[in-house]
């Protein structure tokens, strides 16, 4: 039996939309195995570094994807402390991308950062990302970490636009040590000199540099990019073509540029806690938040299909000597062309 009327009938939703939202998928099925033993501590560094260093009053969504009950209890406690704005708990492991879609399909913020749970954010990261968005109107995704071997990855719209322009060129890597640390964090025993010597850059309107290419372990996107994602869910729990289809390709399809900051503003920690992580976290400065944030132009899909241009560019790169020719046009010597064309 129902008595009376629900007081929420016909009441409009009071929306509190921020400028920027961060989405963090989390998978910690247990806290005993060596692989996951340090995972929650590392995640704590991730989320707290994000909060301390962001200049905008950004909101944070955490999607627990098949994590242990002990982990979910800790997350509920963090939400009660105000560290998490939105907490979604999936009791079954549905995969990284599918868990992200739970939050992504309803996000209304202008910018959306998708980050792995093992990223340590440095002071200045949001300012660096915003600088690229402000000074490159066609920027669709910006990573706060310049990484190697990404300059040809879904960047045909940049290369075809600036192939004969001095704005696109190779520049010295600004922080080789940070790039080496990233390589170690993903299991590489070392980083060859050819990757940390030069990197492809694009001159921005303010005269500074952005790096061509964008990783997806952490990146900030304009919201309209995700109008280009597939309608259904991903078939893979992790990797496969899931991140390519749902986070990488949509930027290109919308006509956006995939870029990174020239400075290094974040670190990939991996799954093993190390002293440098604690030291770096403790040195972070808590910054004041501001509502004085830029209005960013909306991306509009170009008339000529970006995916078609990507195929044309890929065809050109497959021709013998063409890749080396492009590299030489952009300021590399013969030895560098040989090294980076392989």
């Amino acid at each position: 039996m129902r008595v009376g009327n629900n007081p929420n009938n016909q009441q409009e939703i009071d929306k509190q939309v921020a400028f920027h939202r961060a989405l963090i998928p989390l998978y910690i099925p247990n806290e005993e195995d060596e692989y996951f033993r340090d995972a929650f501590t590392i995640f704590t560094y991730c989320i707290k570094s994000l909060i301390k260093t962001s200049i905008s009053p950004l909101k944070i969504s955490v999607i627990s994807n098949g994590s242990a009950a002990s982990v979910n209890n800790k997350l509920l406690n963090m939400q009660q402390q105000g560290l998490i704005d939105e907490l979604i708990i999936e009791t079954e492991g549905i995969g990284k991308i599918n868990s992200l879609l739970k939050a992504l399909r309803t996000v209304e913020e202008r910018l959306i950062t998708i980050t792995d749970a093992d990223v340590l954010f440095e002071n200045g990261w949001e300012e660096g990302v915003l600088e690229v968005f402000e000074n490159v109107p066609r920027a669709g995704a910006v990573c706060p970490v310049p990484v190697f071997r990404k300059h040809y990855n879904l960047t045909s719209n940049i290369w075809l636009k600036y192939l004969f322009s001095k704005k696109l060129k190779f520049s010295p890597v600004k922080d080789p040590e940070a790039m080496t640390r990233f390589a170690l964090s993903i299991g590489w025993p070392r980083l060859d000199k050819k990757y940390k010597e030069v990197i492809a850059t694009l001159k921005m309107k303010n005269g500074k540099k952005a790096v061509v290419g964008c990783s997806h372990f952490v990146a900030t996107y304009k919201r309209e990019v995700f109008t280009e994602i597939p309608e259904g869910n991903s078939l893979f729990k992790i990797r496969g073509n899931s991140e390519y289809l749902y986070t990488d390709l949509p930027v290109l399809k919308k006509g956006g540029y995939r870029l990174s900051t020239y400075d290094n503003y974040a670190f990939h920690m991996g799954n093993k806690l190390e002293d440098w992580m604690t030291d770096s976290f403790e040195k972070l400065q808590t910054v004041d938040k501001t509502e004085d944030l830029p209005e960013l132009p909306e991306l509009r899909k170009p008339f000529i299909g970006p995916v078609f241009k990507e195929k044309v560019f890929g065809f050109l790169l497959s021709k013998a000597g063409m890749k080396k020719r492009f590299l030489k046009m952009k300021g590399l010597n013969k030895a560098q062309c040989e090294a980076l064309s392989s």
Side-chain angles (χ1 to χ4, degrees), residues 69-332:
S70 61
V71 172
N72 291 334
N73 287 334
K74 292 177 183 178
L75 292 174
L76 287 166
N77 185 48
M78 292 179 74
Q79 187 181 38
Q80 291 171 355
Q81 295 176 49
L83 299 175
I84 299 173
D85 298 283
E86 178 186 39
L87 176 60
I88 300 172
I89 295 177
E90 284 288 339
T91 56
E92 297 181 5
I94 59 174
K96 177 182 177 179
I97 290 297
N98 291 337
S99 65
L100 280 170
L101 292 176
K102 294 284 184 177
L104 188 57
R105 295 193 191 278
T106 58
V107 170
E108 296 184 73
E109 279 72 27
R110 182 69 190 97
L111 293 179
I112 303 166
T113 290
I114 297 177
T115 176
D116 286 354
D118 58 355
V119 174
L120 183 69
F121 291 85
E122 294 280 295
N123 284 109
W125 81 271
E126 194 175 17
E127 297 98 310
V129 165
L130 286 174
E131 182 179 42
V132 177
F133 277 118
E134 285 188 272
N135 289 281
V136 185
R138 293 218 62 85
V142 180
C143 176
V145 179
V147 294
F148 49 91
R149 301 200 311 177
K150 291 290 183 182
H151 50 267
Y152 286 142
N153 189 352
L154 298 176
T155 57
S156 59
N157 49 2
I158 302 174
W159 280 91
L160 294 176
K161 171 76 173 179
Y162 295 101
L163 188 58
F164 300 102
S165 169
K166 292 182 180 179
K167 291 183 178 181
L168 175 61
K169 66 177 184 178
F170 280 83
S171 302
V173 171
K174 188 163 187 180
D175 192 343
E177 183 182 347
M179 194 167 286
T180 300
R181 184 175 288 180
F182 174 78
L184 296 175
S185 75
I186 59 174
W188 285 38
R190 66 182 190 284
L191 184 64
D192 292 345
K193 181 182 176 181
K194 64 182 180 181
Y195 295 130
K196 56 185 178 180
E197 184 179 24
V198 291
I199 198 165
T201 60
L202 180 67
K203 186 178 180 180
M204 300 190 290
K205 288 195 302 182
N206 64 354
K208 296 183 181 180
K209 299 171 183 175
V211 170
V212 177
C214 178
S215 184
H216 51 227
F217 79 96
V218 55
T220 302
Y221 304 82
K222 286 182 176 176
R223 183 185 61 244
E224 61 269 22
V225 161
F226 297 107
T227 61
E228 300 294 330
I229 63 175
E231 292 183 3
N233 290 343
S234 172
L235 299 176
F236 297 92
K237 282 192 172 184
I238 192 170
R239 295 183 182 160
N241 64 354
S242 58
E243 288 174 301
Y244 171 81
L245 290 177
Y246 287 85
T247 61
D248 299 346
L249 186 59
V251 181
L252 182 72
K253 290 174 72 174
K254 197 66 178 180
Y257 293 168
R258 302 180 69 249
L259 299 165
S260 300
T261 56
Y262 189 48
D263 290 272
N264 187 89
Y265 290 113
F267 290 100
H268 183 251
M269 292 182 280
N271 66 317
K272 184 65 176 175
L273 189 63
E274 300 176 62
D275 290 341
W276 72 263
M277 301 172 190
T278 302
D279 293 341
S280 296
F281 177 76
E282 291 178 348
K283 290 177 182 177
L284 294 177
Q285 300 295 316
T286 301
V287 300
D288 294 330
K289 310 304 178 189
T290 179
E291 298 286 352
D292 185 20
L293 298 162
E295 289 188 18
L296 303 177
E298 188 169 341
L299 294 174
R300 299 193 181 277
K301 200 168 183 176
F303 179 73
I304 300 177
V307 177
F308 171 75
K309 290 195 288 187
E310 182 74 13
K311 291 180 179 178
V312 171
F313 187 63
F315 173 77
L316 292 175
L317 290 180
S318 68
K319 293 297 182 182
M322 189 64 74
K323 186 180 292 187
K324 292 180 183 178
R325 188 173 301 176
F326 286 168
L327 295 175
K328 186 176 181 180
M329 287 174 60
K330 294 305 172 184
L332 298 189

Side-chain angles (χ1 to χ4, degrees), residues 21-45:
R21 180 175 291 268
L23 307 184
I24 311 175
L26 182 68
Y27 174 67
I28 308 177
N30 67 74
E31 297 185 88
E32 293 76 41
D33 292 351
E34 183 178 2
Y35 188 88
F36 297 106
R37 193 172 297 156
D38 297 333
F40 196 83
T41 300
I42 288 172
F43 162 71
T44 302
Y45 283 177

